[in-house]
Amino acid sequence: MKGKRRRPRTVLLVALALVAGLGAAVPAHADDPAYPFRDPSLSVDARVSDLLSRLTLDEKISLLHQYEPAIPRLGIQSFRTGTEALHGVAWLGKATVFPQAVGLASTWDPSLIEQVGSAVGDEARGFQQTRPAGWGLNLWAPVVNLLRDPRWGRNEEGYSEDPYLTGSISTAYGTGLTGGDPDHLKTAPTIKHFLANNNEVNRDTTSSELRPRVLKEYDEQAFKPAIEADAATGVMSSYNLVNGRPNTVNPALDDTVRTWTSQRLLNVTDAFAPGNLVGSQKYYGTQAEADAAALKAGIDSFTDNDTDSAPTTTAIKSALSSGLLKESDVDKAAGDVLDIRVRLGEFDPGGGKYGSIDASVIDSPAHRALARKSATEAAVLLKNQSGALPLKKSAKDVAVVGPLADTLYTDWYSGSLPYAVTPAQGISAKLGTSVASSEGVDRIALKDAATGKYVTAGTGDAGAALKESADTGTTTQFDVFDWGSGIVTLRSAANGKYVGYNWSNFVNDQAQPNGWFVQQQFKLEEQTDGTYLLRYAGYETAESWWSNPVYLGPTGTDGTLGLVSKDQAAHYTKDVVRSGVDEAVAAVKGKDTAVVVIGSDPSINGREAHDRTDMALAPAQESLVRAVRKANPSTVVIVENSYPTTLGSLQKEVPALLWTTHAGQETGNALADLLYGDANPSGRLTQTWYQSESDLPSILDYDIIKSDRTYQYFKGQALYPFGYGLSYTSFRYGELKRTGDGYEIPVTNTGSRTGAEVVQLYTHQRTSRDKQPLKQLKSFQRVSLKPGETRTVRLKVRQSDLAHWDVTRSKWTVESGTYDVLVGSSSTDVRARTTWQVKGETIPPRDLSKVTRAENFDDYSAVDLVDESKASGTAVSAAADGAWLKFADSRLDGTSAFSARVAGAAGTIEVRRGSPTGTLLGTAHTDGTSSPYTYATANAALARAKGLGDVYLVLSKGVRLSTFNVE
């Protein structure tokens, strides 16, 4: 588990000395290739050192902002960190759009994901040739935050709740993005968001509390593999705090992350996060203090104030002049930036190894085929009762209905679709004939109960401001899409555009709900008299700065609608012009098959800055499925969304369920291939699908061990377990055998179709000093087999892979004992098992005579993990009187004194044995300190105790404990 050794600082000094000599013979023209930094035959370190030595201090400081200016005297062009490339190049124009990240991971196919990453890297290079606005080869992808809680608004951006799977997929994607040669980068991927960023609610002020085992075994393990494999060139720090300290100044950026590789890394902040240190987080008094602390913690590039670098460079210069920073601190960060630019080939003739890739690769035929393949492999067959799927192509009389039947949605980090194949279009193309289709949504008109006038929209692409008028035609009609939680969108029948707020008026001018603030959201609130109030429900209404009214009513003399208070809101009758359910039922009646496509809008059902409060389908969608199923028993359901769904009773009612993410431009073709058997479903779930939200603790609870979270610790009955997915064929597993570097098992396709099985290996430690996972993924292999074919699958797992973090000694430990080895097609579908007798070590009893960090407890109650100081360290703070920490298996050999390093409020620390209310050995008193970062020593005499047992420290509210020992 030991990380790679960092390049010593002496390498930089030696290289500087080298190029100092070289520089004497350099010609006068700075862009002459004879300059060492432009010489590809030299090492990267030598080139960086040469260029760094030629820069003035101001020029070096200018490299520390996201927007790095050109340096004309050296022939250096401008550079920008941060091009989004989560599942394709985003925000630069039309580009290949692959399935959302959680869908890519659902393929469990690292070789495919590497191809996708390579394609995305090529397209980033293609855009590079024209240097559009937002250009850059430093890509902000992939997202490796663990999907610990499926309610996280950004669930679509991550890969899995499991760190091993996340590491495998992110390494594959990153390898594709980099090109696989660390010294010659195709692109420079930055993995995000470091660290423990899995909630959007108050994300810049909430603290993710990570006890050492959760930190080491879980959260860090998602980031380490790609960095260790040189498949990523840095990390982005996240907005949240960890253990009370903002991640923008998390010392692990240097002290931990950089130990995972011998390459230099370029670490960046998230957008506007440096300003949060002084603003919402109030962690520092000035920006100079904040930026200095971030730089010293391991940040190299500041993403702040958009394109305006002046506040950052001014703060850095102020920090230098006041002694908060040294020029060597700037040199280190600037060197990290230049290292990436050198490896990208920026200073090589012709742009280096990848400089010839041009825009012809963007949305190329090969990339279109790859998009279709990845969308196909990403889908997961959840249910297939009595062989309902695959469908017969001969049964061509098909209806495709539902709100997502004939549309594709993109998410915030998606590229622009170069074309879109919807489910209805894909099925129609597959059958070679048109199919009946209906969105199954109501078309309504809203009439002011007081005036009799209707809400009216405009015609033409630009639409018009909504107003009340005497019109009665299609301009008064709106299609109502129900997205759950009471949220609806209104699409005007007059022009097919959605109604949204533009900060002044409500206008029907948007092709889809979109934008940072999704302003196309409304609620129809039924009143006791049967009328409805129309409430604006855009995201900004939940922002702290929003104080405007949220109800709609006429505000102009011409009846134009605006925001008014509730008592002034118009009361509308809702006239149903067309029933969506009735239309869908009519479309499916008598058909050979009904395909219902339901799911989410990724701009509405959770996204950045907005967590979900539930995981259920929209009620209107459930009702639609039931009505269609009743009208046509041959109904199959496609759920198209970005997260696990509780599904209600539909899981039992419908014969076939297929889940996919929003899978990009080829969604329809992929789904048609799967529905009609031209492709065999092979996707597997990367998260536990829970029965209900009641299975989950607070989204702010990050202790997966204590809260029994994720498949590793969850003891309940899942709706669908981690690793689950069905196939149109069947597989038989043979005998599991130990090999030199793992295990092998023969797997046979016993069905009549070619199919891919994902063979998964889990381990379970039977006995341990510490609470262990119920099972833990250690290896997997995707294998494609023809009917009757058998292949021996080899699954690598080493003894060191069984290690867990020993809090008594702060080290990785493999304990001696019996380990169960479980192999199967999901975390619960185990087909073969054996045991592994491991000769490791026995964790010795705690020696509390040595200084013990309070955070290294075994169990706890009513405590918070907090920052020991602003620079480093974690302490424990009592959130209530009677808070306690357990230190198990502690040996006491006649100890008579207790000493603790404490801060915070005045109070006591009781030392007890056996339980929080057990034998009192002594009580230490503290008078409190002037600051939570000012520590004092609290002492107590102890009643003599001997032998092995559990020691409890019971704290009064507000006491902060850093370390302690007994003597």
Side-chain angles (χ1 to χ4, degrees), residues 143-211:
V143 170
V144 301
N145 294 111
L146 292 163
L147 305 183
R148 164 197 65 99
D149 193 308
R151 296 169 297 187
W152 184 36
R154 303 180 76 169
N155 195 86
E156 67 203 30
E157 298 182 36
Y159 289 137
S160 173
E161 68 184 34
D162 180 76
Y164 177 79
L165 180 58
T166 294
S168 298
I169 299 298
S170 60
T171 298
Y173 191 67
T175 299
L177 291 174
T178 64
D181 179 353
D183 287 334
H184 300 88
L185 297 169
K186 181 187 293 184
T187 65
T190 301
I191 53 177
K192 52 184 188 177
H193 312 78
F194 190 84
L195 179 73
N197 176 204
N198 191 221
N199 65 271
E200 296 302 291
V201 56
N202 300 323
R203 60 181 179 168
D204 58 328
T205 55
T206 54
S207 179
S208 306
E209 296 187 19
L210 303 181
R211 58 197 283 195

Side-chain angles (χ1 to χ4, degrees), residues 79-363:
F79 186 86
R80 174 197 153 165
T81 62
T83 292
E84 300 295 348
L86 185 59
H87 53 110
V89 180
W91 306 356
L92 300 185
K94 292 181 178 180
T96 308
V97 178
F98 295 95
Q100 292 176 308
V102 70
L104 291 175
S106 298
T107 68
W108 291 60
D109 191 346
S111 63
L112 174 66
I113 302 309
E114 184 174 338
Q115 294 175 52
V116 172
S118 182
V120 176
D122 284 347
E123 295 201 7
R125 279 278 176 176
F127 279 109
Q128 137 87 356
Q129 291 290 350
T130 56
R131 296 175 66 89
W135 166 84
L137 291 174
N138 172 234
L139 306 185
W140 286 354
V143 170
V144 301
N145 294 111
L146 292 163
L147 305 183
R148 164 197 65 99
D149 193 308
R151 296 169 297 187
W152 184 36
R154 303 180 76 169
N155 195 86
E156 67 203 30
E157 298 182 36
Y159 289 137
S160 173
E161 68 184 34
D162 180 76
Y164 177 79
L165 180 58
T166 294
S168 298
I169 299 298
S170 60
T171 298
Y173 191 67
T175 299
L177 291 174
T178 64
D181 179 353
D183 287 334
H184 300 88
L185 297 169
K186 181 187 293 184
T187 65
T190 301
I191 53 177
K192 52 184 188 177
H193 312 78
F194 190 84
L195 179 73
N197 176 204
N198 191 221
N199 65 271
E200 296 302 291
V201 56
N202 300 323
R203 60 181 179 168
D204 58 328
T205 55
T206 54
S207 179
S208 306
E209 296 187 19
L210 303 181
R211 58 197 283 195
R213 282 194 63 197
V214 176
L215 170 69
K216 294 296 182 181
E217 297 174 21
Y218 193 62
D219 285 278
E220 283 186 359
Q221 293 309 305
F223 287 82
K224 183 177 181 181
I227 297 290
E228 193 172 45
D230 294 325
T233 59
V235 301
M236 173 189 283
S237 60
S238 55
Y239 289 117
N240 60 296
L241 297 81
V242 165
N243 297 346
R245 182 180 298 105
N247 274 325
T248 309
V249 291
N250 188 337
L253 292 163
D254 252 355
D255 300 343
T256 300
V257 176
R258 294 189 197 273
T259 67
W260 294 336
T261 178
S262 59
Q263 294 284 349
R264 294 181 78 162
L265 300 175
L266 167 56
N267 293 336
V268 307
T269 73
D270 209 335
F272 300 99
N276 290 343
L277 291 169
V278 177
S280 61
Q281 294 167 343
K282 296 180 173 56
Y283 206 67
Y284 295 100
T286 68
Q287 201 61 51
E289 292 176 280
D291 286 3
L295 203 70
K296 294 176 81 169
I299 290 295
D300 301 306
S301 178
F302 292 80
T303 315
D304 208 6
N305 300 294
D306 289 324
T307 60
D308 184 6
S309 62
T312 295
T313 56
T314 299
I316 296 295
K317 290 174 184 178
S318 175
L320 284 166
S321 64
S322 62
L324 293 172
L325 287 175
K326 299 177 181 177
E327 186 170 352
S328 59
D329 296 317
V330 173
D331 286 349
K332 185 264 183 188
D336 290 340
V337 172
L338 293 175
D339 180 270
I340 298 301
R341 294 179 66 171
V342 167
R343 289 195 275 154
L344 283 168
E346 180 179 346
F347 309 122
D348 291 358
K353 182 176 178 179
Y354 300 103
S356 63
I357 298 176
D358 61 25
S360 65
V361 301
I362 299 172
D363 188 37

Side-chain angles (χ1 to χ4, degrees), residues 401-447:
V401 301
L404 283 80
D406 205 19
T407 189
L408 295 185
Y409 288 109
T410 55
D411 58 49
W412 176 250
Y413 287 106
S414 174
S416 300
L417 293 169
Y419 61 90
V421 182
T422 70
Q425 291 169 341
I427 291 171
S428 178
K430 177 69 64 178
L431 297 178
T433 185
S434 62
V435 297
S437 184
S438 165
E439 291 174 310
V441 300
D442 288 345
R443 177 165 289 185
I444 67 169
L446 295 171
K447 182 170 67 175

Side-chain angles (χ1 to χ4, degrees), residues 804-837:
H804 77 280
W805 189 255
D806 172 18
V807 294
T808 72
R809 297 172 295 171
S810 296
K811 58 173 292 212
W812 290 101
T813 302
V814 177
E815 290 182 284
S816 295
T818 301
Y819 292 72
D820 294 312
V821 180
L822 315 168
V823 173
S825 60
S826 81
S827 59
T828 61
D829 187 1
V830 176
R831 307 289 187 87
R833 65 177 66 220
T834 188
T835 57
W836 187 0
Q837 301 300 324

Side-chain angles (χ1 to χ4, degrees), residues 75-76 252 268 288 308 347 445 456 484 499 507 603 641 654 685 724 818 924 942:
I76 295 174
V268 307
D308 184 6
F347 309 122
T456 307
V499 176
V507 183
S603 291
N641 63 16
V654 298
L685 298 179
Y724 173 85
T818 301
L942 296 182

Side-chain angles (χ1 to χ4, degrees), residues 563-594:
L563 291 173
V564 298
S565 60
K566 186 174 183 178
D567 62 338
Q568 295 177 315
H571 286 244
Y572 294 106
T573 60
K574 184 175 70 172
D575 301 339
V576 178
V577 178
R578 182 192 67 206
S579 165
V581 169
D582 289 349
E583 184 186 68
V585 165
V588 303
K589 273 187 176 178
K591 302 297 183 184
D592 296 324
T593 305

